[in-house]
């Protein structure tokens, strides 16, 4: 099989990762003891080897590595209802934590534990018949997820250079922040991910909070509520890796179709329908909802802040009509043609899985590679520049062995990335600029009538 090794790092990464395992276990009818308890093994277990190791006594154990620089979150997982599902040898944790400091996670505390992580990853890779790659889930705002998360990605890039490595990265937001140095941690992490990860699924807390308040009508969302939205998107992205369907894709196929240039690999995920009561009906406007900015896990609006380079739509449910899906896709791309780059002849990829989500009905997951990704990145960079101009808090990073020039290098690298996205995100080439009709511009208000 095409195995994937899942690595969850830091408090945020471990909390989301544990919910991810709970959700896909529910989808595959695997209980907390690792036993299959469904009645359709030909479908549900046909690709179980992608994410689980099957033991001799028919238990399914997550192919997971749980990493943190302090024991609290790991102890909570072990003592929780799903603790017994994990391999006891898959946990790696320190004692002192990273103190919200990227340099601690990357240079000092994380560096002390990285060999333990490498050993577990190597053992999992040796057990795999045909290793497809890795997925790392981590937050870029704290110290462990950002510092050690990127250190792990760097090691994967060096040790398994011919395997795909994707990152599910949670970007911080100045509106929902409890760590002052988040801009430092986030930009230093992005600086490393540009060079080491093959694909980055970027989600930010501000968009997740907005979805909870505006779409789900939860006026006081907790982090657990935000994590559930992320897990829905993650399970949607991995649908075609784990379950059979009409059109399937693996990590490399997704990357090949979504990344036109090496550095432009930062995706905005989305999910529809978001409200649970919408799953009970066959959704006639599913494609329209997927392209709705209100359903995307980023504060950017691709129809207002940039243009699509490429995108992918993954659909789930019984009785999906590919003809109807293609019709809706054509309708949206034609109506908003000014926001799809002209030089890419066919930039929308689709995949279909016949197995419905646990909520039932039809659902879809969106993956967009758009120049609008620079919007949340530039927000972080603005805060970064204001602090670095005064060299505020820099001593905490240099005290861990980090060179001050790295701040400047990271800033220049991210600035170059934004420039590249802007350059290649020009919808029309020099010959086609005169053909753009102002009447075709999307108004960006996010309402359903705008599509």
């Amino acid at each position: 099989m095409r195995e994937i090794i899942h690595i969850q790092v830091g408090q945020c990464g471990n909390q989301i990762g544990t919910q991810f395992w709970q959700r896909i276990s529910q989808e595959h009818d695997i209980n907390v003891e690792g036993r299959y308890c469904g009645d359709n093994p030909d479908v549900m277990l046909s690709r179980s080897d992608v994410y689980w190791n099957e033991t001799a006594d028919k238990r399914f154990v997550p192919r997971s590595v749980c990493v943190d620089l302090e024991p609290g979150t790991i102890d909570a997982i072990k003592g929780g209802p799903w603790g017994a599902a994990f391999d006891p040898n898959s946990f790696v944790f320190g004692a002192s934590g990273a103190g919200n400091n990227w340099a601690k996670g990357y240079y000092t505390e994380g560096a002390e534990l990285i060999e333990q992580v490498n050993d577990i990853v190597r053992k999992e890779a040796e057990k795999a018949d045909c290793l497809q790659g890795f997925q790392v889930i981590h937050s870029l705002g704290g110290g462990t997820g950002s510092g050690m998360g990127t250190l792990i990605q760097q090691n994967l890039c060096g040790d398994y250079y011919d395997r795909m490595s994707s990152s599910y990265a949670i970007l911080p937001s100045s509106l929902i922040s409890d760590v002052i140095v988040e801009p430092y941690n986030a930009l230093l992490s992005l600086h490393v991910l540009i060079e080491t990860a093959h694909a980055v699924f970027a989600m930010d807390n501000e968009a997740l909070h907005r979805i909870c308040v505006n779409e789900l009508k939860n006026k006081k969302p907790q982090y657990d509520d935000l994590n559930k939205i992320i897990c829905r998107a993650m399970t949607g992205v991995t649908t075609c890796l784990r379950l059979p369907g009409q059109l399937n894709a693996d990590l490399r196929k997704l990357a090949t179709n979504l990344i036109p240039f090496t550095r432009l690999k930062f995706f905005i995920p989305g999910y529809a329908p978001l409200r649970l009561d919408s799953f009970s009906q066959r959704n006639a406007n599913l494609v329209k909802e997927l392209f709705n900015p209100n359903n995307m896990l980023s504060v950017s609006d691709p129809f207002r802040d940039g243009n699509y380079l490429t995108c992918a739509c993954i659909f789930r449910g019984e009785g999906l009509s590919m003809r109807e899906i293609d019709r809706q896709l054509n309708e949206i791309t034609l109506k908003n043609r000014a926001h799809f780059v002209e030089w890419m002849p066919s930039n929308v990829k689709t995949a279909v899985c016949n197995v419905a989500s646990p909520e039932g009905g039809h659902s879809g997951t969106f993956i967009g590679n758009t120049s609008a990704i620079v919007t949340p990145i530039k927000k972080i960079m603005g805060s970064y520049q204001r602090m670095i101009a005064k060299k505020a808090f820099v001593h905490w990073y240099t005290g861990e062995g980090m060179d001050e020039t790295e701040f400047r290098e990271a800033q220049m690298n991210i600035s170059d990335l934004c420039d590249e996205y802007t350059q290649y995100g020009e919808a029309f080439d020099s010959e086609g600029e005169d053909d753009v009709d102002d009447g075709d511009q999307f108004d960006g208000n996010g309402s359903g009538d705008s599509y």
Side-chain angles (χ1 to χ4, degrees), residues 119-187:
D119 286 344
I120 297 174
V121 170
R122 176 180 52 79
K123 291 175 182 177
E124 291 291 351
E126 289 174 351
K127 289 189 287 187
D129 291 332
C130 182
L131 182 64
Q132 180 177 172
F134 307 87
Q135 66 179 40
V136 181
I137 173 70
H138 56 138
S139 167
L140 303 190
T144 304
S146 64
M148 192 165 186
T150 51
L151 178 62
I152 290 172
Q153 278 284 17
Q154 189 173 51
N155 277 262
L156 296 176
C157 179
D159 296 342
Y160 306 92
Y161 59 89
D162 58 342
R163 295 293 181 263
M164 297 297 297
S165 180
S166 59
S167 171
Y168 292 85
I170 317 303
L171 301 178
S173 168
S174 58
L175 299 180
I176 308 169
S177 173
D178 55 1
V179 178
I180 295 176
V181 293
E182 280 181 343
Y184 283 168
N185 297 335
L187 247 71

Side-chain angles (χ1 to χ4, degrees), residues 53-238:
N53 290 315
E54 185 176 0
T55 64
D57 60 348
K58 301 297 182 182
R59 283 188 67 245
F60 294 92
V61 181
R63 190 178 293 104
S64 174
V65 185
C66 308
V67 185
D68 202 356
L69 290 178
E70 55 187 7
T73 304
I74 300 297
D75 289 342
I77 295 174
K78 289 180 177 180
W82 285 84
F86 294 93
D87 184 340
N89 298 317
S90 66
F91 298 101
V92 178
F93 57 92
S96 58
N100 295 321
N101 187 333
W102 181 88
K104 270 184 173 290
Y106 190 85
Y107 283 111
T108 54
E109 303 294 338
E112 293 179 5
L113 292 180
I114 192 63
E115 285 306 319
Q116 294 183 44
V117 176
N118 290 342
D119 286 344
I120 297 174
V121 170
R122 176 180 52 79
K123 291 175 182 177
E124 291 291 351
E126 289 174 351
K127 289 189 287 187
D129 291 332
C130 182
L131 182 64
Q132 180 177 172
F134 307 87
Q135 66 179 40
V136 181
I137 173 70
H138 56 138
S139 167
L140 303 190
T144 304
S146 64
M148 192 165 186
T150 51
L151 178 62
I152 290 172
Q153 278 284 17
Q154 189 173 51
N155 277 262
L156 296 176
C157 179
D159 296 342
Y160 306 92
Y161 59 89
D162 58 342
R163 295 293 181 263
M164 297 297 297
S165 180
S166 59
S167 171
Y168 292 85
I170 317 303
L171 301 178
S173 168
S174 58
L175 299 180
I176 308 169
S177 173
D178 55 1
V179 178
I180 295 176
V181 293
E182 280 181 343
Y184 283 168
N185 297 335
L187 247 71
L188 291 168
S189 298
L190 291 173
H191 173 53
V192 177
L193 290 176
I194 290 174
E195 311 299 333
T196 58
H198 292 95
V200 180
F201 297 86
M203 300 159 276
D204 66 75
N205 283 328
E206 183 178 343
L208 296 168
H209 189 273
R210 180 207 66 208
I211 289 173
C212 282
V213 173
N214 296 339
E215 306 300 322
L216 304 181
K217 309 305 179 185
N218 181 353
K219 299 304 180 182
K220 294 183 178 180
Q222 305 298 315
Y223 279 113
D224 186 64
D225 299 312
L226 309 186
N227 294 344
K228 287 178 180 178
I229 300 173
I230 297 171
C231 286
R232 281 204 219 171
M234 286 184 65
T235 53
V237 171
T238 61

